[in-house]
Amino acid sequence: MNDIVSKQRAFFYTHKTKAIQFRLAQLNKVETLLKSNEDLLYQAIYEDFKKSKFDTYVTELALLYQDIKEAKRNVRKWSRTKRVGTNMLNFPARSYIIPEPLGVCLVIGAWNYPYQLTLAPVIAAIAAGNTVIIKPSEMAPKTSALMANLINENFDSAFLKVVEGGVSETTTLLKSKFDKIFFTGSPQVGKIIYQAAAKNLTPVTLELGGKSPAIITADSNLKMTVKRMVWAKFLNAGQTCIAPDYVLVHKSVEKKLLELLKLEIEKENFSIENGNYTQIINERNLNRISNMFSSENVFVGGKINTLNRTIEPTVLQNIRFSDDVMKEEIFGPVLPVISYQNIEEVIQYVNSNPTPLACYVFTNNNQVKKKILNEISFGGGAVNDAIMHISNSNLPFGGVGNSGIGSYHGEAGFKSFSHYKSILEKSNLMELSLKYYPHSKRKLSWVQRFIGF
Ligand code: NAD
């Protein structure tokens, strides 16, 4: 591992990665590699957890193509030196900020959207002029092996290198000194990464998870809410970091909501054969999710197929905050519905738990919307929708508190792999004597006038 890092650091110091032409050529190469191997990409992800071609295109490849297109279009602008104003005290001078790449980066991916979550940060790192070591998740072994094959055969390892493996390989990797670590995964592992990074004062972006609430008020458009909610919750069989984890609904519309959820789930007819459902990634997760709820709370679904590793789209009713299903992120196709009487309870509950990655509010009440957006802290979210905020690259994507540190997508991604070097460039034409000894009352009064207070 140390050899690869040293090789990448040596390559970084040739300064080749800093040239815009180099960055554009590498972005084009990644794009061509993905486009010309789409069939293999579809096949590998299907083998890992039966994800369909449609869902893989829409939720993974399309987002990567969009990221590449945007990076290519903007890389010159994003990496341009920016002039800023200069204060009077420094007259005559100019001031500017130079975006510079951080160096050798480590990107650790998660398995649930294996291509998107592993390669989107890599695209941002390339656009910013870095070299990257990529560690996909071992929990999706076919996609991990395919990314390793494609990248390691087509790129110089001094620039891009995929290292496969699980805990022990990652632990070894983390012993090396990186200039940036970008991690996607659970808050528990996020803490391990942060501690390893701290030993070298390496900056991190931590894209973590949490329990993301969907809040439904009495006056929301229930039909539309349910349509969007059901898609967002059961996409990828609920294995989405920004899936609505649970619903908080106003008591007056709870019954109606449950009925509509049932109808919509039936209508969608989720199944692997229909291409709109996936397996649970492994047996461990199947057991973990199955043990979170009991049959007496099941309103819809609840059947577990251990052979096929699937759990039916499930809606739970009569849930209390103290139930197991409310204690940790579900990360599966199970939706607890809890009713509330007034919005203060909702705000108080969410704020008394770890800060979520996402929060969704379905409402037609402008005041309630504003109150929630103002009083609950969360990574990002949507009003009258769920998940779709991730598709707008003008919106930086990331968590806060327990759900993460930093953000990416679009220019935010470029920024997370860059340092902004501030320069004051002095003219040699003249030099004010104010700061120099001997000091005097007159000088002090001039300094005060220059500084402005
Ligand atoms: P995970 O934390 O178990 O694994 C993520 C990565 O960390 C993998 O590459 C894995 O090999 C590595 N890893 C695991 N244990 C490690 C250890 N002890 N030391 C070093 N590395 C280790 O997470 P997961 O099960 O792959 O994903 C589920 C979690 O990730 C959920 O909490 C979900 O919300 C979150 N997630 C967040 C985002 C986001 O964009 N914020 C996206 C997807 C998933």
Side-chain angles (χ1 to χ4, degrees):
M1 303 288 185
N2 262 330
D3 277 358
I4 306 168
V5 176
S6 307
K7 226 170 122 185
Q8 290 212 350
R9 186 153 287 115
F11 182 62
F12 181 72
Y13 283 123
T14 65
H15 306 292
K16 285 185 183 157
T17 62
K18 292 179 182 168
I20 300 296
Q21 280 314 327
F22 179 89
R23 304 186 204 189
L24 287 170
Q26 306 310 314
L27 290 168
N28 278 328
K29 204 167 157 182
V30 173
E31 186 176 21
T32 309
L33 198 61
L34 291 174
K35 287 208 162 135
S36 56
N37 288 286
E38 273 192 2
D39 285 343
L40 290 177
L41 295 166
Y42 293 135
Q43 193 185 324
I45 203 165
Y46 191 79
E47 286 176 28
D48 273 338
F49 60 115
K50 304 273 186 290
K51 185 160 171 170
S52 69
K53 182 173 172 178
F54 185 92
D55 276 359
T56 304
Y57 183 79
V58 170
T59 66
E60 309 227 24
L61 301 186
L63 293 177
L64 292 174
Y65 294 147
Q66 179 185 305
D67 277 355
I68 294 172
K69 187 172 162 199
E70 210 177 331
K72 286 197 298 189
R73 198 171 49 211
N74 292 302
V75 64
R76 269 178 218 287
K77 188 173 95 191
W78 293 341
S79 35
R80 206 171 282 150
T81 296
K82 289 171 191 68
R83 279 286 290 269
V84 293
T86 302
N87 54 344
M88 278 292 283
L89 206 59
N90 282 304
F91 181 80
R94 26 188 213 137
S95 300
Y96 45 89
I97 300 166
I98 308 170
E100 66 171 18
L102 291 168
V104 181
C105 304
L106 172 64
V107 169
I108 303 175
W111 56 267
N112 55 328
Y113 290 83
Y115 301 131
Q116 191 227 124
L117 296 175
T118 312
L119 298 178
V122 175
I123 290 163
I126 295 174
N130 299 276
T131 72
V132 196
I133 292 175
I134 306 156
K135 212 295 290 172
S137 172
E138 76 285 8
M139 282 166 74
K142 300 284 181 188
T143 57
S144 169
L146 180 60
M147 283 188 274
N149 274 345
L150 293 178
I151 288 175
N152 294 347
E153 281 181 11
N154 289 283
F155 286 90
D156 184 345
S157 61
F159 171 58
L160 283 191
K161 170 81 179 172
V162 174
V163 175
E164 285 194 275
V167 177
S168 86
E169 290 79 2
T170 316
T171 307
T172 310
L173 258 179
L174 288 169
K175 289 190 179 130
S176 298
K177 182 185 180 304
F178 290 94
D179 303 303
K180 167 86 190 186
I181 300 178
F182 190 108
F183 170 80
T184 303
S186 59
Q188 300 89 291
V189 180
K191 288 174 191 169
I192 297 173
I193 306 293
Y194 204 10
Q195 276 174 348
K199 292 206 176 97
N200 293 308
L201 291 179
T202 298
V204 293
T205 297
L206 302 176
E207 294 283 340
L208 312 177
K211 284 185 90 61
S212 301
I215 302 160
I216 303 176
T217 64
D219 67 351
S220 69
N221 178 337
L222 272 191
K223 235 177 130 194
M224 188 70 86
T225 297
V226 164
K227 194 171 178 55
R228 292 174 177 164
M229 274 283 302
V230 165
W231 178 83
K233 177 69 193 187
F234 300 109
L235 175 75
N236 222 33
Q239 302 165 112
T240 305
C241 56
I242 47 170
D245 186 274
Y246 62 98
V247 165
L248 295 167
V249 59
H250 191 268
K251 185 82 192 145
S252 62
V253 290
E254 181 189 14
K255 266 213 169 88
K256 177 110 190 277
L257 175 82
L258 285 166
E259 285 307 327
L260 288 174
L261 282 170
K262 186 164 185 264
L263 289 177
E264 184 63 23
I265 288 170
E266 281 164 7
K267 189 175 137 228
E268 283 296 317
N269 200 8
F270 289 101
S271 76
I272 286 165
E273 295 68 37
N274 289 336
N276 57 355
Y277 214 49
T278 70
Q279 290 181 307
I280 302 301
I281 190 69
N282 55 28
E283 216 178 289
R284 187 165 58 85
N285 267 308
L286 188 85
N287 292 334
R288 182 186 60 78
I289 302 162
S290 312
N291 289 332
M292 279 181 151
F293 64 95
S294 69
S295 55
E296 73 204 39
N297 297 113
V298 171
F299 180 74
V300 184
K303 278 207 198 92
I304 293 146
N305 183 334
T306 45
L307 275 183
N308 202 22
R309 258 183 23 234
T310 54
I311 299 176
E312 273 185 341
T314 299
V315 176
L316 304 178
Q317 61 176 349
N318 303 325
I319 294 293
R320 285 161 310 180
F321 288 135
S322 55
D323 288 340
D324 283 348
V325 77
M326 293 305 292
K327 287 191 183 139
E328 60 170 281
E329 183 181 355
I330 298 168
F331 218 55
V334 176
L335 184 65
V337 174
I338 301 180
S339 66
Y340 69 85
Q341 294 282 8
N342 72 66
I343 205 70
E344 297 294 344
E345 291 167 50
V346 167
I347 294 172
Q348 205 265 332
Y349 175 74
V350 179
N351 282 345
S352 63
N353 280 284
T355 333
L357 180 58
C359 178
Y360 305 111
V361 50
F362 293 87
T363 188
N364 278 319
N365 183 325
N366 212 22
Q367 266 179 336
V368 172
K369 175 191 81 180
K370 281 191 177 156
K371 189 171 171 64
I372 288 171
L373 296 184
N374 185 43
E375 296 182 14
I376 297 181
S377 177
F378 52 93
V383 176
N384 292 323
D385 207 348
I387 287 193
M388 292 307 291
H389 60 296
I390 198 175
S391 67
N392 180 356
S393 58
N394 294 319
L395 295 172
F397 180 83
V400 57
N402 205 59
S403 54
I405 296 175
S407 60
Y408 72 134
H409 291 178
E411 190 174 7
F414 181 93
K415 284 182 177 165
S416 77
F417 285 97
S418 299
H419 165 64
Y420 287 80
K421 193 155 63 184
S422 295
I423 304 295
L424 172 77
E425 185 176 320
K426 269 290 181 64
S427 157
N428 283 331
L429 284 178
M430 59 176 279
E431 175 71 333
L432 297 176
S433 63
L434 287 177
K435 71 184 177 197
Y436 297 103
Y437 198 71
H439 299 157
S440 68
K441 265 190 173 168
R442 211 163 142 251
K443 274 189 178 179
L444 182 60
S445 107
W446 272 107
V447 168
Q448 283 166 334
R449 215 173 294 176
F450 267 124
I451 294 176
F453 36 76

